[in-house]
Amino acid sequence: SEILESTDYHWFEKILEDHPVADEKLFRSFVTSDEYKIIQSGLHRGPYFTTRVDLKARAKIINDFDPHLTLVVHFDADKNDAWQTREQDVRAYIPGNVLSTEYSSREQRFATARTLLDLPRWTQSAMLTTTVVKNLTSEIGIPLKTTETDIGGIRIVDGVYGRNLALNRQINRGAVAYVEVLHYNFKSDYIQLANANKRAEINGIKFRYPARLDAIVNGFKNGVLEYVDGVR
């Protein structure tokens, strides 16, 4: 899969130009290239499976289910190894702001065009995402992100950014809201999420969980209900 997606890259085309005949020289040049060695290296297998194969599998399951709407729920952190007290906001992404580096393969171009040219789906995704982040910020008491730009994204409305994320372009059924709920390494939320102070039982399995999740779930629930009421 990784090699197939590389067919439009310059290094791949250069090898074909240098060896127009499919023979041993072409094969040797290909398998000894630095780029092929990188693809084969164990060092990169984690990113390949996590950010590519795994995401494709998730998108396929969602598309096969043919949902009316999809919620992608993320908890973010500005650092992985320390808590912080500076940055805390609610934000979410819908398709948009395609960067030049995101046109590097036929598959990427097809998925991007299919998503951005489907105006009804884009509009419904914007409506769903807007109601979800509005209700989330109300329930959990964290403000919406309001800057003009985000990492790889541009602001559509407060808390909603256009960004060409893999799942945003690969899911092609129903409205999609890709939500960054909060920064879990923000000191106050880290403490709340670490405190399993509620009890619950599902299918006979008893467990504990942080009460902070109740507010988050209510935000999503109220956002979805408001969206559904608006499109009925």
Side-chain angles (χ1 to χ4, degrees), residues 147-196:
T147 56
E148 289 297 316
T149 61
D150 189 38
I151 300 174
I154 54 174
R155 186 169 65 89
I156 307 299
V157 296
D158 287 351
V160 180
Y161 291 79
R163 185 176 175 186
N164 190 33
L165 293 168
L167 281 178
N168 272 350
R169 64 176 179 262
Q170 290 179 23
I171 297 172
N172 55 56
R173 300 286 193 275
V176 181
Y178 189 111
V179 186
E180 295 281 3
V181 180
L182 49 77
H183 291 81
Y184 62 80
N185 72 331
F186 192 82
K187 185 174 182 179
S188 62
D189 259 305
Y190 181 93
I191 293 171
Q192 291 183 78
L193 291 170
N195 183 16

Side-chain angles (χ1 to χ4, degrees), residues 30-160:
F30 180 73
V31 297
T32 58
S33 66
D34 290 338
E35 291 81 2
Y36 180 79
K37 291 178 181 177
I38 290 173
I39 291 175
Q40 291 288 87
S41 69
L43 179 65
H44 289 77
R45 288 182 182 177
Y48 289 155
F49 280 101
T50 302
T51 63
R52 303 192 187 184
V53 175
D54 180 67
L55 290 182
K56 285 183 179 180
R58 285 193 239 170
K60 184 179 186 307
I61 291 170
I62 292 169
N63 291 331
D64 289 347
F65 184 70
D66 195 17
H68 291 98
L69 60 87
T70 300
L71 300 175
V72 182
V73 182
H74 272 216
F75 287 56
D76 204 1
D78 69 335
K79 290 184 178 180
N80 291 327
D81 57 355
W83 65 25
Q84 50 96 8
T85 58
R86 302 174 307 281
E87 186 177 8
Q88 184 70 313
D89 50 48
V90 175
R91 66 199 188 282
Y93 305 108
I94 60 176
N97 198 43
V98 184
L99 304 178
S100 59
T101 54
E102 296 167 337
Y103 285 113
S104 57
S105 73
R106 293 183 180 93
E107 183 177 1
Q108 284 181 317
R109 292 196 292 272
F110 170 75
T112 298
R114 176 185 58 197
T115 299
L116 296 181
L117 292 175
D118 191 344
L119 182 57
R121 279 195 65 242
W122 189 93
T123 302
Q124 292 301 316
S125 294
M127 292 171 58
L128 170 64
T129 304
T130 300
T131 61
V132 166
V133 296
K134 182 187 73 173
N135 282 275
L136 263 177
T137 192
S138 175
E139 287 289 334
I140 66 180
I142 295 174
L144 296 175
K145 190 175 186 68
T146 59
T147 56
E148 289 297 316
T149 61
D150 189 38
I151 300 174
I154 54 174
R155 186 169 65 89
I156 307 299
V157 296
D158 287 351
V160 180

